[in-house]
Every structure is written in structure tokens, then in C-alpha cells.
Amino acid sequence: MTERTTRELIETLGDDIDRCHASLIKAIDDNEIDKDGSVSVSADHEHHARNLVRAILAFIEAVTFSVKVSCIERCLNKGIAVSDHERYLTVEIDSELNEKGEIIERPARIRLTNNIRFAFRLVEKAYGKPSTFDPASEWWSCLRETIRVRDRLTHPRMPEDVDVSGDEIVKALKAKAGFTEVLLAHKKRHKK
């Protein structure tokens, strides 16, 4: 049995985004012109749009996890103090007491936006340089909107909850591009 890596996970999720995006573009390009001259886009594009939103957020979550783990590892290797809470939240473990008074571990429930901010704080701690993360940036606003879309898609109540607009697709793509750009800038900056 071969050991799989986080890099493989991230590459797989990145490939998923590329495939979902390509499928969405193809579905939109395969539209038909109605007799009245209007464009009729196949309902099939909605399937690809939903998958694209989910794939983008899965990628962002996986990369965020990876960044946190690598930063904590760097801190530990460089003798930079990290708290027990930071270590546990890095690997998304929480604890609670059961009815017998025993401590049990459980997955931590961390909102994605908080998790990303935590990851950037760990980058600052691990490398001793201020983060270039800007919560006023367009990609961050797009990400917050995309999370709401994903939540709506995964917990639908009404038929329109599974609809994804063109604007929502564009925002999801901007969120992924902005997130990736900030991380690549950090990586380039910290290689020096």
C-alpha cells in the first residue's frame, strides 16, 4: 500500500475544479437558439455549476488545512512557541467531556472563514512576517458569498436553493483565484 500525500489531495481537488469548469463551459456552449432568437441553455449546466462551487470550496478547505499543518510544523521545528489549542485547532480536533467525566476528542467545527484567517495568522507566526491577507479584498467578499451558495446547495429547502446564477459562478472563480494568489504571494515571499 502506498502512502498518499496532501499534495496529491490538493492536485486532485485542483483537477476537479478544472474538470468542473470545463464541463460547465461546454454545457453553456452547447446551448440552443430558440425559434424566437433567444438562447436556451440546457438545464445540465446547473449540475456542473453546483459541482464547480463544491469543488472550489473543497480545494480551499484542503489547502487551508495543509497551510496550517505546515506552519505548525515549522513553528515546532524552529522553536516558535505554539499553544496546545493552536496545535489541536490546526488538525481540527476539539474535545469535550462525556457523561462519565472523561475527555473525548471530536472533530472541531470551525467555520471556513475563521479557519482561513487562523491559517494566515499561523503563516505570520511561522515566518515572522505580517500577512498580506486583506479582508476588504474582492476575493474575500466573493469567498464569503460562495460559502453561502455552498451551504444553500448542501442544505436545500426549496427548489430554487439548488440554482446557481452566473454571478455566483463568477464570484466562486474569483474567490478561488484570489485565495490562490494570496497563498502564492506568501510562498514566494517566504522562500527568500
Side-chain angles (χ1 to χ4, degrees), residues 135-177:
S137 64
E138 180 185 23
W139 78 266
W140 183 251
S141 173
C142 290
L143 176 67
R144 294 169 64 91
E145 176 69 24
T146 301
I147 292 169
R148 285 190 287 276
V149 172
R150 188 262 324 258
D151 291 348
R152 187 186 76 222
L153 294 173
T154 56
H155 304 288
R157 302 291 183 262
M158 303 298 287
E160 57 272 9
D161 289 344
V162 296
D163 296 342
V164 180
S165 71
D167 186 50
E168 290 169 333
I169 293 166
V170 169
K171 286 181 180 179
L173 292 167
K174 283 182 178 182
K176 193 262 185 189

Side-chain angles (χ1 to χ4, degrees), residues 83-148:
S83 71
D84 290 341
H85 294 294
E86 286 173 317
R87 285 187 292 120
Y88 287 123
L89 288 175
T90 292
V91 292
E92 300 178 11
I93 295 174
D94 203 353
S95 60
E96 64 184 1
L97 295 174
N98 68 13
E99 60 278 349
K100 296 179 185 177
E102 302 165 327
I103 297 173
I104 55 170
E105 289 182 352
R106 63 176 173 79
R109 294 181 191 103
I110 307 169
R111 290 179 46 212
L112 180 55
T113 53
N114 294 349
N115 213 10
I116 292 169
R117 283 179 164 232
F118 178 54
F120 284 118
R121 299 274 307 200
L122 289 177
V123 167
E124 289 178 5
K125 182 177 241 185
Y127 293 94
K129 296 179 183 177
S131 171
T132 58
F133 169 73
D134 178 9
S137 64
E138 180 185 23
W139 78 266
W140 183 251
S141 173
C142 290
L143 176 67
R144 294 169 64 91
E145 176 69 24
T146 301
I147 292 169
R148 285 190 287 276

